[in-house]
Amino acid sequence: MLVRLILGLLMTVAGLAVAGKRVAFLYRLIKAGQPDTKRSDDLGARVFAQAREVFGQRKLLKWSVPGLAHFFTFWGFVILASVYLEAYGALFDEKFAIPWIGHWAVLGFLQDFIAVAVAVSLGVFTVIRIRQAPERKDRASRFYGSHTGGAWLILVMIFNVVWTMFFFRGASSASGNFPYDSGAYVSLGVGNLLEPLGHPTTEVLETVGLLLHIAVMLVFLSIVLYSKHLHIFVAPINVSAKRLPDALGPLLPMESAGKPIDFEDPGEDDTFGRGKIGDFTWKGMLDFTTCTECGRCQSQCPAWNTGKPLSPKLVIMNLRDNLFEEAPYILAGTEHEGARPLVGPEDDGGVIDPDVLWSCTTCGACVEQCPVDIEHVDHIVDMRRYQVMIESAFPTELGGLFKNLETKGNPWGQNNSERLAWTKDLGFDVPVFDGELAEDVEYVYWVGCAGAFDDQARKTVRATAELLHIAGVRYVVLGKEESCTGDPARRAGNEFLFQMMAQQTAETLNAVFEGREPRLRKIVTTCPHCLNTLSREYPQLDGHYEVVHHTQLLNRLVRGGQLTPVKPVEDGPRVTYHDPCYLGRHNKVYTPPRELVGATGAELAEMPRHADRALCCGAGGARMWMEEQIGKRINLERVDEAIATDAETIVTGCPFCRVMLTDGLVQRQSEQKAENVDVRDVAQLLLERVKATDTSAPKA
């Protein structure tokens, strides 16, 4: 008894010393990151996120089989902590039992059950890793680029925890020291097998099993702290510090030393974006150390899926590697000449290749699927900000975009005098803001640059305006008073230009809504990018509005009886709906567009990737204005998915998506494919069915 106590305590002291040294290093390193002051607000929501995502494993369970296996494995770590409490108690008292509950058969059963479930889960993980092995599936494997050797080691170590547990508990049962008379069915069964060996032998086996069980845990602890499986400990912290609310929504404003940058009078030491690894906030550094290398982000990334070099997983892994490379200098607060450039060609030692950085569409599929709430998009845009504003290093096409935004107030470079061209020949007068907002006006209809200047998008805004007219909704458009919200500039990394445009637009809207409280400052728009920027990002500039997407408003009007679509007598057309990223993942609007499709009587055929797993059209992140020269075009990939549904019409709710899908469809039709398919907005589909029987004057 004394020998095992001494050995057990010596092992524990040594193991905790090794682990403690690593924990202290990681704490100091992450703490050395730049301040981030917005990670402790809304404590209630953060506690709920912890319960739902860590203990409930919400995101992991979206992937049913591996998710369920991980669910049992996670709870194995939680519940089997009680077994280790019993094990350490047994070092001091061979008949130790947890006070009050230590003899409950229910606890013994739960311990054995979860251990068996973990063992079965290990088998599931083994099959998944063999089937998904990069050696077999190359880039199609979500484990491509991951440290697979370390993953196998962890599976072995978890198995060691399970078998040593049953060995120790079985020997304890055979020796008469086990605290459970029933319930712990596996441990008692092993005890029955060992009992014929005799009491002296089983006592020795109990000591051996106990020390093995403790030793495995201590070795496992060090392996976890020094490997990618660090997420076991830091993931709960990362989830607690996640962005709120639960949608990607706004990009974070640029800060330096934890304070917003004053672009009109920046400080000498202000940091514009991330130019080196030490520029990231502590939350960014926590993100890098939290990555599990599971590859869920990679499997959903539209760039990676179309042969481009961007893998969100590899971006985070490379940043993590660079963080540890630079750790001695970060902790010392010094710089050195041998530091690798954060963004630069891979052949020149760059951590992130420019082709990787500029392939991102900011669709947010990576963030949506990440089970530990890593914020890939924020980090990518922050690096873009430094490249644009400090290095002036960006794709040449963006130069034209920035110039058009700065001089013309829109990405197309069109004259503002043409902003009302879409209203011609509508058959009714579109009300235009005349300097004062009437009391009975419910909405400002934000047309957006695409709706004003793109021929395809004009069809959407015309259809929406006509539906609002039929429903009797009181609205006004701003016409020449409108300007770009600045979304393309911000996603491209030109935060200075965004701030300039957004300040101007916010001032315009604040003047329009002067005297109205925020909840009555209602805006409707057909552009999800405008929706996201006006509703989620303008509050950063003291612009507070209630913004809805046109599909949300139209759906309310249909449900309220103000619009009455008449379903066709025969079966309706077969359509497939493409989820715009900035409407879906960024703002969690999935149902209203689908309900509108159903209201028209159309048959909805979903693509394999839809809703929160929808594939991007390729236009986001200012990619709309950049050439796509690597791999397959993302819009072609999406159009091919849509064509495969045998739908007659591809419907969407975003002008950028419509352009990309139309371009992709035109290319496929030039190849004699899907010749009778067209692309339309949900509003057009609805208007057709409303006008089928009713083209009368507005309803009262």
Side-chain angles (χ1 to χ4, degrees), residues 37-54:
T37 59
K38 299 178 179 64
R39 301 295 177 169
S40 58
D41 58 327
D42 201 345
L43 185 60
R46 296 189 183 281
V47 171
F48 180 68
Q50 190 76 199
R52 183 177 60 169
E53 296 189 21
V54 177

Side-chain angles (χ1 to χ4, degrees), residues 5 32 71 141 146 172 212 234 290 315 317 387 395 444 587 638:
L5 173 61
F71 177 87
S141 167
S146 299
S172 178
L212 277 175
V234 298
T290 304
V315 167
M317 288 172 60
Q387 293 301 302
V444 167
N587 286 280
R638 190 55 166 168

Side-chain angles (χ1 to χ4, degrees), residues 559-592:
R559 297 179 115 190
Q562 291 163 273
L563 291 173
T564 308
V566 178
K567 297 182 180 181
V569 177
E570 300 179 354
D571 292 339
R574 184 178 175 88
V575 306
T576 189
Y577 174 69
H578 165 78
D579 288 274
C581 301
Y582 275 75
L583 184 62
R585 278 186 292 267
H586 284 260
N587 286 280
K588 301 296 183 186
V589 179
Y590 299 112
T591 304

Side-chain angles (χ1 to χ4, degrees), residues 446 478 481-486 497-514 521 523 533-535 537-545:
W446 187 268
L478 299 185
E481 297 297 314
E482 260 198 32
S483 182
C484 181
T485 62
L497 181 55
F498 166 75
Q499 292 284 335
M500 182 177 70
M501 301 192 74
Q503 287 283 3
Q504 178 183 332
T505 301
E507 288 173 7
T508 298
L509 286 171
N510 288 343
V512 169
F513 287 117
E514 186 175 7
R521 297 181 170 197
I523 298 173
T533 307
L534 293 171
S535 65
E537 297 189 332
Y538 274 35
Q540 299 170 5
L541 305 167
D542 199 29
H544 302 276
Y545 321 108

Side-chain angles (χ1 to χ4, degrees), residues 180-260:
Y180 306 102
D181 295 326
S182 62
Y185 60 101
V186 178
S187 299
L188 291 169
V190 173
N192 291 335
L193 294 175
L194 296 177
E195 193 170 357
L197 297 176
H199 191 267
T201 302
T202 55
E203 278 198 328
V204 173
L205 292 178
E206 180 186 358
T207 296
V208 172
L210 173 60
L211 294 177
L212 277 175
H213 194 48
I214 291 174
V216 165
M217 180 270 291
L218 293 170
V219 172
F220 194 7
L221 176 63
S222 292
I223 291 174
V224 166
L225 289 172
Y226 284 85
S227 73
K228 65 159 187 154
H229 280 79
L230 180 63
H231 77 274
I232 292 173
F233 300 117
V234 298
I237 303 172
N238 209 48
V239 170
S240 294
K242 66 180 288 188
R243 286 177 51 172
L244 296 174
D246 182 23
L248 299 178
L251 284 172
L252 299 178
M254 283 182 60
E255 295 184 343
S256 185
K259 297 180 180 178

Side-chain angles (χ1 to χ4, degrees), residues 55-116:
F55 292 96
Q57 301 278 285
R58 179 183 68 94
K59 284 192 174 182
L60 282 157
L61 287 172
K62 290 181 178 180
W63 301 53
S64 54
V65 174
L68 196 60
H70 198 281
F71 177 87
F72 283 121
T73 304
F74 167 79
W75 277 100
F77 277 94
V78 175
I79 295 171
L80 295 185
S82 65
V83 175
Y84 273 103
L85 177 58
E86 293 172 341
Y88 272 97
L91 284 177
F92 296 89
D93 178 2
E94 60 186 12
K95 293 187 180 295
F96 175 83
I98 299 173
W100 300 300
I101 61 172
H103 295 285
W104 288 2
V106 172
L107 178 59
F109 172 80
L110 187 60
Q111 291 169 333
D112 277 18
F113 168 78
I114 200 67
V116 171

